[in-house]
Amino acid sequence: MPAIRSTFKIVSRLVLMLIVALVAPMGAAARQDELAAVRQATARFHDVDAAIAAGYQLGYVNGAGVRIITGCVAHPTAGAMGYHYFSKQLIDDNVIDVLRPEGLVYSPGPDGKLQLAAVEYVVPGAVSNPPGVSVAPTVFGREMVILVPAVGFYTLHAWIWSNNPAGLFAHWSPRVSCT
C-alpha cells in the first residue's frame, strides 16, 4: 500500500507539472496578445498632441481642484517613470478597460522631446480625493497597488513602448531619467 501511495504522489506531481507546463505558455501568449492590442490602441499617442486632443492632460485634477503629478516622476535609486498624461474621465469612472489606459507615461528623449514609454492603469482608492474603490482592481492578471498612499490611487504600469530592465510591470525604469 505505501508503494501505491508513493507512486500515486509521483504521478500526481508529474501530471500537475505537465498541466502547468502546458497552461503557462497559453497564459503568456494570451497576455502578449492583450499587450499587442494595447500597443495598437495607443500607437497614435506617440504624438503628445494626439494624446492631448484625446483628453489626456499633464497631471490630474483631484476632487479639491488641485492639479497633481505634473512633473517628471523620479525615484532616488530606482530610476524614473517620466511625465504622466492622464484622462480624468477615464480615472474618475473607476473602471479598467485595458484598451483605454487612464495614463500615458512619457520619458524625455536624448533631444528633450517626450517619447511614449508606458501606459498606466489608474483607479482611485477608497481614501483618494475623490474616493474610489475599496478593493484593488486587477489588470493583466496582476493586482494593482497603491504606490503613493497620500494620493491613494491603485496603479499598474505597463512598459509596452520602452524596454524596462526592471520588468514590464515595474513602477520605475532605470533607463528613464528626469535630468
Side-chain angles (χ1 to χ4, degrees), residues 24-111:
M26 285 190 273
R31 182 176 306 120
Q32 287 305 317
D33 288 347
E34 202 169 23
L35 291 169
V38 175
R39 281 185 198 94
Q40 183 177 5
T42 59
R44 65 189 169 122
F45 300 132
H46 282 284
D47 178 355
V48 176
D49 290 333
I52 292 168
Y56 289 89
Q57 301 175 8
L58 180 60
Y60 171 78
V61 178
N62 67 15
V66 177
R67 185 173 297 278
I68 59 173
I69 315 171
T70 58
C72 187
V73 178
H75 187 277
T77 59
M81 293 177 191
Y83 294 92
H84 291 71
Y85 283 72
F86 294 112
S87 167
K88 181 167 177 55
Q89 178 184 357
L90 294 175
I91 290 176
D92 290 350
D93 72 5
N94 292 331
V95 175
I96 293 293
D97 175 349
V98 294
L99 298 180
R100 298 179 67 210
E102 288 78 8
L104 303 169
V105 183
Y106 293 86
S107 63
D111 60 358

Side-chain angles (χ1 to χ4, degrees), residues 99-168:
L99 298 180
R100 298 179 67 210
E102 288 78 8
L104 303 169
V105 183
Y106 293 86
S107 63
D111 60 358
K113 184 177 177 189
L114 294 180
Q115 299 174 337
L116 183 58
V119 296
E120 184 175 11
Y121 297 93
V122 181
V123 176
V127 298
S128 66
N129 182 8
V133 301
S134 57
V135 176
T138 59
V139 62
F140 303 117
R142 296 178 164 269
E143 189 172 283
M144 296 170 70
V145 298
I146 295 177
L147 182 64
V148 181
V151 176
F153 289 168
Y154 287 103
T155 65
L156 181 77
H157 289 81
W159 295 87
I160 62 171
W161 295 108
S162 171
N163 180 20
N164 183 352
L168 178 64

